[in-house]
Amino acid sequence: MNGVFLMNNDRNSGGGKYVVKLYDDERIDRLVSYEQMPIIQSPTVFSYSLDAVLLANFVYVPIQRGNILDIGTGNGVIPLLLSNRTKATVIGLEIQERLADMAKRSVQMNELSERIHIIEGDLREPHESLAQSYFDVVTCNPPYFKTPKATEFNKNEHLTIARHEIACSLEDVVKAAKRYVKPRGKVAFVHRPERLVDIITLFRHYNIEPKRMRLVYPKQNKAANMLLIEGTRDGSVGLDILPPLYIYKDDGTYTKEA
């Protein structure tokens, strides 16, 4: 792969210089709402979307201390976003070597290696570096679509794994969240509304009680296209339905809240 070296010194925190190696069609973008926070992206490997930003904003996080796990972290977008909301340690678990490497380099660029750690591994199996029943919060932006027929696979393996339940099912993700979250800890997902019944059923099967939920709409008078849901391990019964979130106004610009 062709490497490109980039140097920059525009980080607010200390103004130090960093060097990062970019591969193939990788580029550096700035995270939404955090113009000084760069992230490595690739249109053929992985680029974050609005759902990750919404989840990072929605989930409960401890402010001063604690431990957070993001499973299926992709290029590390959720840990990076959460680092602006909390001083807790954040770990990202990713099965794809290339994506884990992108995430690690983005963390290094942002000089956050002491607070964010990226681990390569399969969420379906206990990981030796991750303590069970330990994390205050577990987040996940899982693959949205059930496994297609082999003839329907995306020709790009990275995108197929990110979008379809190839490397894990929804149940695998919920089971992993239960494995790592501590009793009374929080589990938060972003998904499609049509999977709501599946999510609630699996949450309760693994003793995660749904506690907060919010539907996201592209605009008023349109059907919801995203679901934000948070549960508590071994929590009491009681679900709060939050007001709807509308992303766009009729003229195509963002709403004030979005």
Side-chain angles (χ1 to χ4, degrees):
M1 292 184 290
N2 295 324
V4 177
F5 287 89
L6 175 75
M7 293 188 67
N8 207 329
N9 62 353
D10 64 356
R11 285 288 292 147
N12 285 339
S13 56
K17 291 185 177 181
Y18 55 76
V19 179
V20 63
K21 190 173 185 179
L22 299 182
Y23 297 94
D24 296 338
D25 63 348
E26 289 180 350
R27 67 180 188 269
I28 293 185
D29 289 341
R30 301 286 170 169
L31 281 169
V32 174
S33 299
Y34 302 101
E35 293 185 357
Q36 296 302 317
M37 179 166 273
I39 186 171
I40 298 172
Q41 305 244 83
S42 168
T44 59
V45 180
F46 187 89
S47 295
Y48 79 89
S49 55
L50 181 61
D51 48 6
V53 179
L54 295 179
L55 177 60
N57 182 72
F58 169 79
V59 63
Y60 158 84
V61 290
I63 303 301
Q64 294 298 327
R65 64 184 67 182
N67 295 279
I68 301 171
L69 174 65
D70 182 48
I71 51 181
T73 199
N75 64 347
V77 57
I78 290 176
L80 288 170
L81 289 168
L82 290 178
S83 72
N84 289 279
R85 295 186 57 207
T86 177
K87 295 179 181 179
T89 297
V90 187
I91 294 178
L93 177 66
E94 174 55 45
I95 192 172
Q96 297 192 64
E97 180 181 3
R98 175 73 188 279
L99 276 175
D101 179 62
M102 289 172 63
K104 289 175 183 177
R105 285 180 284 135
S106 288
V107 170
Q108 292 169 355
M109 267 199 306
N110 285 281
E111 301 174 9
L112 288 169
S113 297
E114 292 185 1
R115 292 176 51 202
I116 300 177
H117 308 284
I118 305 299
I119 296 174
E120 186 181 340
D122 188 338
L123 64 83
R124 294 171 295 185
E125 302 294 335
H127 196 287
E128 60 183 8
S129 299
L130 299 175
Q132 299 186 29
S133 299
Y134 174 75
F135 291 89
D136 300 281
V137 181
V138 175
T139 59
C140 187
N141 178 8
Y144 285 162
F145 307 109
K146 293 185 177 182
T147 305
K149 298 177 182 178
T151 56
E152 299 173 340
F153 281 10
N154 193 304
K155 293 182 180 180
N156 185 314
E157 180 184 8
H158 299 292
L159 298 182
T160 297
I161 292 174
R163 296 172 180 172
H164 296 275
E165 295 180 353
I166 302 297
C168 65
S169 66
L170 179 58
E171 182 169 8
D172 291 330
V173 176
V174 177
K175 184 178 180 180
K178 164 66 182 303
R179 177 187 302 127
Y180 293 119
V181 72
K182 64 171 57 173
R184 308 296 296 177
K186 306 294 185 182
V187 173
F189 286 7
V190 59
H191 216 294
R192 293 295 180 94
E194 54 263 34
R195 301 301 297 276
L196 173 59
V197 174
D198 294 335
I199 293 170
I200 290 177
T201 300
L202 288 167
F203 267 25
R204 282 194 156 175
H205 178 75
Y206 287 98
N207 297 321
I208 300 169
E209 185 63 28
K211 299 296 292 182
R212 296 170 60 235
M213 189 186 86
R214 193 174 197 188
L215 288 171
V216 182
Y217 298 78
K219 60 176 62 176
Q220 291 193 28
N221 302 317
K222 295 290 185 180
N225 62 353
M226 276 187 276
L227 164 72
L228 297 162
I229 188 165
E230 181 182 86
T232 300
R233 178 179 166 183
D234 304 328
S236 59
V237 174
L239 174 63
D240 291 333
I241 308 295
L242 304 182
L245 171 60
Y246 300 104
I247 301 302
Y248 297 106
K249 296 184 286 188
D250 288 338
D251 63 5
T253 59
Y254 281 115
T255 62
K256 182 178 180 180
E257 184 177 9

